[in-house]
Amino acid sequence: DPALREEAFAFAAKKTKGLEILDAGLGSRYADLRKRSVDGLVKKHTAAAQALLVRALDDEDRDVRLAALDSLVDADARPALSAAIDSLYADVRLRSAKALARHGDPMALGPLVALATAPEPTEKEWQANWLKLAESALDGLGELGDPAALLDVIPMIGATIRRQAPLSG
């Protein structure tokens, strides 16, 4: 029962002022507890809490991952963001690369180009997500301002325009 888990977690967190309960919560099989742990870690503002937030970037639940990532982006935790650009999850790679791009960090180039030029999925249910990722990656490349991205992006844009243009007779 989620309400019972929340009550037990709140009681344990009140009894334990350290990070132990939040660390244990990150290991829970329940996404709501993992999210609650991330929310608690966000409030700590310590290096130890940030290290645990980095671990949450690999969570299978999107809400847990993005809550941890939002905190690291807000804290401008560049070492953590640099490590996150190699994540298995495209949403984490994108957000961390865009955060690094705002600072002109060349590490952002590769992941942003890869996301911007990823082939369009054939499955209709994945196309909207692919388009959002590609558009956001292009936005990040614009923020980065590295002309090296043009070598990969211009051919992709040209092919897209040709595919979308009406056939002339």
Side-chain angles (χ1 to χ4, degrees), residues 29-151:
R29 66 180 177 177
Y30 300 105
D32 60 328
L33 281 183
R34 296 192 309 271
K35 173 71 167 65
R36 178 80 160 83
S37 293
V38 166
D39 293 342
L41 289 166
V42 166
K43 296 174 185 171
K44 295 292 184 184
H45 304 288
T46 65
Q50 270 192 355
L52 291 173
L53 286 169
V54 169
R55 197 174 93 207
L57 296 177
D58 292 328
D59 197 276
E60 65 189 30
D61 186 85
R62 184 176 190 273
D63 292 337
V64 173
R65 286 194 308 270
L66 294 183
L69 186 58
D70 285 345
S71 174
L72 293 170
V73 168
D74 291 345
D76 200 21
R78 289 191 204 171
L81 296 171
S82 295
I85 63 173
D86 294 325
S87 173
L88 295 174
Y89 298 100
D91 54 357
V92 172
R93 288 193 309 271
L94 174 67
R95 297 275 325 276
S96 57
K98 282 185 72 171
L100 292 171
R102 281 193 293 276
H103 296 290
D105 191 323
M107 286 185 71
L109 180 63
L112 289 173
V113 166
L115 289 163
T117 60
E120 183 176 354
T122 55
E123 299 86 3
K124 200 160 189 73
E125 63 271 10
W126 294 102
Q127 290 175 348
N129 189 44
W130 166 83
L131 185 59
K132 286 179 193 174
L133 285 172
E135 287 175 349
S136 191
L138 287 170
D139 182 54
L141 288 169
E143 286 187 60
L144 183 61
D146 189 333
L150 295 174
L151 296 173

